[in-house]
Amino acid sequence: MNTHKIRSFIRRQGRITPGQQGAIERLWPKYGLEYNNKVINYSEIFDRKAPLIVEIGFGNGDSLAKMAANQSENNYLGIEVHKPGIGHLLLQLEQLEINNVRIFNHDAVEILEHNIADNSLIGIHLFFPDPWPKKRHHKRRIVQSNFIDLITRKLQPGGYFHAATDWHDYAEHILKVLQKHPALINQSSDGMYCERPDYRPVTKFERRGLALGHGVWDLLFKKTG
Ligand SMILES: C[S@@+](CC[C@H](N)C(=O)[O-])C[C@H]1O[C@@H](n2cnc3c(N)ncnc32)[C@H](O)[C@@H]1O
């Protein structure tokens, strides 16, 4: 049997600034979580009970920090494999004195599979996932039907999945996979895409896409309750 796992990312750590490295050393014990085989107890890691939203691939974390500051009634779990982005987010959490965010530095698929209880999330965000534009790389795109099965299992009844992309053919693919899932209902009035909701800040990759003349497509689906 071929057990080789196709991942949605390639681990290239890139340059990390001394500020980001220092933030990781100083702040990881406060905000960081380690991947293991145990389902996490949310009240324990956040020191309070509150609705939990997971952001997959938060990049440099600018939009995650903003959302966590603006919606302080929620808890946020950010998952990212790129270390400099983790350092960047940690610096913002410290500066803005944000306490409702925790971070994993690991593959989001494995975190969802092993650390997140079923039916436990009010929301899952996937903003500007790597587009893998070449046809032969499409298999690396994180949104596939087994990924959508996984995220749907993790949502509470009534919970939502929100994705956004600036690649039209990826938007069409995501829409198709979401529409096929029997437990998900499109929140768009015309059964296609949504306007960017107020709670979602413009992200770094989105700004880059807009500068290149790309469009933006938001997709918002709810799990039947
Ligand atoms: C194109 S960037 C978008 C970053 C950010 N959301 C934004 O809009 O600026 C996609 C990010 O997803 C991360 N990523 C890709 N696959 C991932 C996975 N399986 N688990 C965690 N992070 C992942 C990458 O490291 C990258 O930072």
Side-chain angles (χ1 to χ4, degrees):
M1 193 173 73
N2 182 6
T3 52
H4 174 68
K5 201 169 175 176
I6 299 169
R7 293 186 192 271
S8 59
F9 60 92
I10 291 175
R11 258 189 213 275
R12 262 193 232 108
Q13 285 314 345
R15 258 167 44 83
I16 187 156
T17 67
Q20 290 163 352
Q21 185 60 46
I24 291 174
E25 282 156 24
R26 199 170 61 252
L27 300 169
W28 187 254
K30 174 167 177 186
Y31 293 102
L33 299 172
E34 302 303 331
Y35 166 70
N36 56 32
N37 277 329
K38 274 198 276 182
V39 168
I40 47 183
N41 176 331
Y42 304 140
S43 331
E44 221 167 75
I45 61 165
F46 286 97
D47 281 332
R48 68 167 188 173
K49 262 200 162 112
L52 181 62
I53 295 172
V54 166
E55 180 166 351
I56 297 171
F58 57 74
N60 73 2
D62 280 347
S63 54
L64 177 54
K66 267 193 202 139
M67 280 184 293
N70 292 343
Q71 276 96 235
S72 55
E73 68 280 13
N74 295 329
N75 287 335
Y76 289 84
L77 191 57
I79 312 176
E80 178 52 68
V81 289
H82 188 58
K83 269 249 168 74
I86 303 250
H88 187 97
L89 173 60
L90 286 170
L91 286 171
Q92 295 184 78
L93 298 179
E94 180 180 47
Q95 272 160 20
L96 301 171
E97 297 179 16
I98 293 175
N99 291 314
N100 57 335
V101 174
R102 297 292 180 271
I103 306 172
F104 274 110
N105 179 203
H106 194 82
D107 181 355
V109 172
E110 292 189 349
I111 300 291
L112 286 166
E113 281 170 349
H114 301 294
N115 299 123
I116 304 291
D118 288 355
N119 299 304
S120 69
L121 305 174
I122 67 148
I124 300 180
H125 294 167
L126 178 71
F127 300 151
F128 304 90
D130 291 307
W132 295 107
K134 290 184 186 144
K135 201 151 193 160
R136 68 190 157 90
H137 287 150
H138 282 186
K139 56 182 183 291
R140 287 188 171 276
R141 288 177 163 178
I142 194 164
V143 177
Q144 310 288 349
S145 54
N146 54 357
F147 173 77
I148 296 303
D149 288 345
L150 176 66
I151 58 120
T152 307
R153 213 166 65 232
K154 300 299 158 178
L155 288 174
Q156 293 175 6
Y160 69 90
F161 173 62
H162 181 182
T165 179
D166 60 334
W167 287 78
H168 189 232
D169 76 308
Y170 199 8
E172 288 178 322
H173 167 77
I174 298 172
L175 182 62
K176 219 186 276 169
V177 179
L178 289 171
Q179 278 169 336
K180 265 203 315 224
H181 199 291
L184 293 175
I185 300 166
N186 197 342
Q187 300 302 295
S188 151
S189 52
D190 65 358
M192 301 276 285
Y193 306 104
C194 292
E195 290 292 312
R196 175 170 63 86
D198 287 341
Y199 66 77
R200 181 174 80 68
V202 173
T203 77
K204 181 179 173 193
F205 271 78
E206 180 173 17
R207 236 174 281 120
R208 187 186 282 182
L210 290 170
L212 293 169
H214 294 187
V216 173
W217 294 271
D218 279 76
L219 299 105
L220 192 58
F221 279 67
K222 271 195 183 169
K223 179 170 168 178
T224 47

